[in-house]
Amino acid sequence: MRALLIVDLQYDFLEGGALAVPKANEIIPVVRDLMSKGLPIFATQDFHPAGHKSFASQHEGRQIGEMITMNGMPQVLWPDHCVQGTHGAAFFEDLEIAKRAIVVQKGKDVEVDSYSGFFDNGRRHQTELDEFLKIKNIQELIVLGLATDYCVKFTVLDALSLGYQVRVVTDGVRAVNLNAGDGERALAEMATAGADISISSEIKI
């Protein structure tokens, strides 16, 4: 059985947000169209406590976009974003994701970032996503959302490692591109790992 997995379609990643992904709003019509197809819908939600250690504001003298080591792992320093209880953490309202999807929150541990919808970045703790998918007997995921080179990529790689078939919708994702070409490299990495890379018009439901 197939399901739609929407990654972090939240205001802080959309135009005008604290961590706006370039051209992020272009994916909204694609998400809306695929949500109308009748598939089960799951969604991840970045949901940080205030003062999360991945925020540049928590590291004196450090700048947004710098790379540090945090708890033994490489960590990009981000602007404060998707803080619990703020508008920026909410899903894009018009799509009614909170009502229509089974939502899994991530990034709630102040000490470790969580790009993937399945595990934190150290793979020390697992979210409920795999359990929820298994309850619904989902074997294949159609993935779209934000951002290609971070939360989409790591969610897809973990899904593949857990045995799911995965299709990434290229017109339904956009990249941060801290370094030029990061988005394209992420798509190539996902494809090498076994993901099918498609445009939405190729998906027959």
Side-chain angles (χ1 to χ4, degrees):
M1 189 171 179
R2 288 189 289 179
L4 194 65
L5 177 57
I6 303 166
V7 177
D8 297 2
L9 195 59
Q10 297 165 255
Y11 283 108
D12 268 345
F13 298 126
L14 294 169
E15 292 174 13
L19 183 44
V21 176
K23 301 181 179 180
N25 287 50
E26 293 178 353
I27 76 171
I28 291 170
V30 179
V31 178
R32 180 180 284 113
D33 179 63
L34 286 173
M35 288 181 72
S36 73
K37 303 297 186 182
L39 290 173
I41 302 169
F42 295 79
T44 64
Q45 183 181 26
D46 221 23
F47 209 61
H48 296 305
H52 195 275
K53 296 293 181 63
S54 68
F55 298 162
S57 62
Q58 301 304 302
H59 303 270
E60 187 175 355
R62 297 286 191 168
Q63 302 298 313
I64 292 167
E66 279 191 54
M67 183 74 74
I68 65 166
T69 299
M70 190 170 88
N71 293 323
M73 294 175 288
Q75 174 66 52
V76 178
L77 293 180
W78 302 109
D80 291 30
H81 67 280
C82 297
V83 174
Q84 297 172 17
T86 66
H87 174 73
F91 292 114
F92 181 71
E93 188 174 0
D94 289 357
L95 296 178
E96 297 187 321
I97 291 170
K99 293 180 181 178
R100 299 178 60 192
I102 295 173
V103 174
V104 173
Q105 295 174 335
K106 60 189 181 68
K108 295 189 288 184
D109 183 341
V110 72
E111 296 290 339
V112 61
D113 215 350
S114 296
Y115 297 149
S116 168
F118 291 95
F119 299 94
D120 66 45
N121 286 6
R123 263 183 165 250
R124 295 166 185 167
H125 297 97
Q126 190 169 2
T127 72
E128 311 95 331
L129 183 55
D130 184 48
E131 178 185 355
F132 290 166
L133 292 168
K134 284 182 167 57
I135 288 170
K136 297 291 187 180
N137 196 31
I138 304 300
Q139 291 95 33
E140 181 181 351
L141 296 172
I142 297 170
V143 180
L144 64 175
L146 302 167
T148 315
D149 37 354
Y150 289 93
C151 296
V152 170
K153 182 181 82 169
F154 286 97
T155 297
V156 166
L157 294 177
D158 280 345
L160 291 165
S161 76
L162 291 167
Y164 294 95
Q165 298 176 53
V166 182
R167 178 172 289 194
V168 182
V169 184
T170 57
D171 50 335
V173 295
R174 291 293 183 273
V176 176
N177 282 325
L178 281 178
N179 301 295
D182 277 353
E184 290 303 314
R185 283 188 288 272
L187 288 171
E189 186 176 347
M190 288 183 272
T192 298
D196 181 85
I197 310 296
S198 308
I199 59 174
S200 58
S201 62
E202 296 173 336
I203 297 172
K204 307 303 180 188
I205 297 171

